[in-house]
């Protein structure tokens, strides 16, 4: 959401609230003008505060984006390096397991042949 859209919505809501209060209040004109002036001053302060917070948020997002662009590629490279190192370190175990599985499969095949020969 753009900040200008937010500000337009905030302004429209404020005007609507002010008009509603003016029509529903039992105060005199002088009291209403005083209240409107006070509310206007408060609204300006709040609006300036919101603008400041939006500016801070924008700066924070910009800073985080910059940091992410710098840090994420390094982190990805580190993870890739770790995976490659793990694959190299497990290669011997993988080959040993493949040999053992092959030996077990061969033993099962011999056992099946032996059982088939005994049944004949």
């Amino acid at each position: 959401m753009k900040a200008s859209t937010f500000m337009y919505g905030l302004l429209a809501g404020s005007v609507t609230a002010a008009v509603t209060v003016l029509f529903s209040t039992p105060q005199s004109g002088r009291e209403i003008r005083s209240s409107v002036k006070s509310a206007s001053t408060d609204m300006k302060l709040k609006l300036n505060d919101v603008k400041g917070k939006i500016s801070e948020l924008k700066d924070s997002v910009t800073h985080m984006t910059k940091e992410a662009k710098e840090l994420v590629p390094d982190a990805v490279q580190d993870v890739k390096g770790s995976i490659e190192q793990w694959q190299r370190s497990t290669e011997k175990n993988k080959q040993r397991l493949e040999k053992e599985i092959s030996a077990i499969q061969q033993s099962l095949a011999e056992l099946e042949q032996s059982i088939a020969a005994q049944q004949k």
Side-chain angles (χ1 to χ4, degrees), residues 6-7 10 14 38-54:
F6 175 75
M7 292 299 178
L10 184 65
S14 299
S38 174
S40 173
T41 304
D42 289 345
M43 186 57 65
K44 286 179 184 177
L45 292 174
K46 288 179 183 179
L47 189 58
N48 286 334
D49 186 44
V50 168
K51 285 180 182 178
K53 297 226 185 261
I54 289 173

Side-chain angles (χ1 to χ4, degrees), residues 111-120:
L111 183 61
E112 286 175 352
Q113 290 174 355
S114 172
I115 291 173
Q118 287 179 356
Q119 289 180 350
K120 288 184 182 181

Side-chain angles (χ1 to χ4, degrees), residues 18 21-22 27 31-42:
V21 167
L22 286 174
Q27 297 174 340
E31 291 172 340
I32 290 175
R33 283 190 297 275
S34 174
S35 295
V36 168
K37 185 175 181 180
S38 174
S40 173
T41 304
D42 289 345

Side-chain angles (χ1 to χ4, degrees), residues 63-75:
H63 179 71
M64 288 179 66
T65 302
K66 183 179 176 183
E67 279 188 7
K69 286 180 181 178
E70 293 172 1
L71 298 177
V72 169
D74 292 339

Side-chain angles (χ1 to χ4, degrees), residues 52 58 68 91 101 114 119:
K58 182 181 174 184
E91 186 63 33
I101 290 171
S114 172
Q119 289 180 350

